[in-house]
Amino acid sequence: MFGVFEADPSQVPSADVLPSPACGLIRCDIRLKRLLDERECLLEQIKKLKGQLEERQKNGKLDNPHPGDDFLENGTDMHVMDLQRDANRQISDLKFKLAKSEQEITALEQNVIRLESQVARYKSAAENAEKIEDELKAEKRKLQRELRCALDKTEELEVSNGHLVKRLEKMKANRSALLSQQ
């Protein structure tokens, strides 16, 4: 009676082809598009069936000049009633499918909104992390400069200390030489 709407597997990207972070969003978009297409098709079928039903009702009213009669002639009115029941059943099935599709679309839209807000949070967290990283790099460079400066100062003081120790030894040697001469 009605075909089931399925996406062609060759047109739907496989999970290993898609990058993992965007995979969920792309699947949601594909599913959302498929549901929207199915909804439009179902709405068109409902319109066609309603038109056919109205046409049959008009034809049925024209064919039956006595709408108050309880008996049916030649089974044609019975056939029309069966067709009308089938059409009503089909319409209610399509309405149910439409409502279900709309619910799925709403759920998918909410999922997209949730994922977009999650992406925004992750993006701001990444920006904050980059900012902190830059600050830490600047602090590291500052500390390395201070360390180099302190090491240079230490080396300078050691050289100065070495010179002073040599002078002190010379003075001690001169003093002991003077003492020994006296």
Side-chain angles (χ1 to χ4, degrees):
M1 194 176 327
F2 293 105
V4 177
F5 299 98
E6 294 183 12
D8 184 10
S10 64
Q11 294 176 351
V12 177
S14 65
D16 32 306
V17 174
L18 297 172
S20 58
C23 183
L25 286 175
I26 292 175
R27 283 189 197 146
C28 286
D29 288 346
I30 291 171
R31 189 168 178 204
L32 186 63
K33 183 177 180 184
R34 190 172 7 137
L35 288 172
L36 287 173
D37 291 342
E38 183 177 346
R39 178 182 176 212
E40 290 176 15
C41 187
L42 291 174
L43 287 172
E44 288 176 20
Q45 287 180 353
I46 288 172
K47 287 178 184 176
K48 285 180 186 177
L49 289 173
K50 281 184 178 179
Q52 289 175 358
L53 180 62
E54 289 173 4
E55 189 176 308
R56 287 180 185 164
Q57 286 176 344
K58 287 178 186 176
N59 291 339
K61 288 180 183 177
L62 294 176
D63 291 341
N64 188 4
H66 307 290
D69 292 345
D70 289 337
F71 65 94
L72 303 173
E73 294 178 5
N74 296 331
T76 55
D77 288 333
M78 185 63 117
H79 178 68
V80 169
M81 289 178 66
D82 286 341
L83 289 176
Q84 185 175 359
R85 264 189 250 121
D86 286 342
N88 286 338
R89 191 177 317 116
Q90 290 172 357
I91 288 172
S92 65
D93 288 345
L94 291 174
K95 284 181 179 179
F96 174 74
K97 286 181 181 180
L98 177 64
K100 188 175 179 181
S101 297
E102 287 175 345
Q103 287 175 345
E104 288 180 10
I105 288 170
T106 302
L108 288 173
E109 287 173 345
Q110 290 172 350
N111 195 23
V112 166
I113 290 169
R114 182 183 58 81
L115 291 173
E116 286 175 346
S117 66
Q118 201 172 26
V119 165
R121 281 195 311 269
Y122 288 151
K123 187 176 180 180
S124 67
E127 289 171 354
N128 288 338
E130 287 176 1
K131 182 179 177 182
I132 290 170
E133 181 184 15
D134 290 342
E135 290 172 358
L136 288 173
K137 283 180 181 179
E139 183 71 21
K140 181 182 175 184
R141 284 192 297 270
K142 178 184 172 189
L143 290 173
Q144 285 176 336
R145 270 194 308 270
E146 289 176 3
L147 176 65
R148 279 194 304 271
C149 185
L151 287 174
D152 290 344
K153 188 87 164 174
T154 303
E155 186 180 335
E156 185 181 310
L157 289 173
E158 285 176 352
V159 169
S160 176
N161 188 29
H163 288 299
L164 290 174
V165 167
K166 286 180 184 177
R167 267 180 82 187
L168 185 62
E169 287 176 4
K170 281 184 185 180
M171 290 174 94
K172 282 182 183 178
N174 286 339
R175 184 174 167 203
S176 57
L178 280 175
L179 287 176
S180 65
Q181 285 180 356
Q182 295 177 349

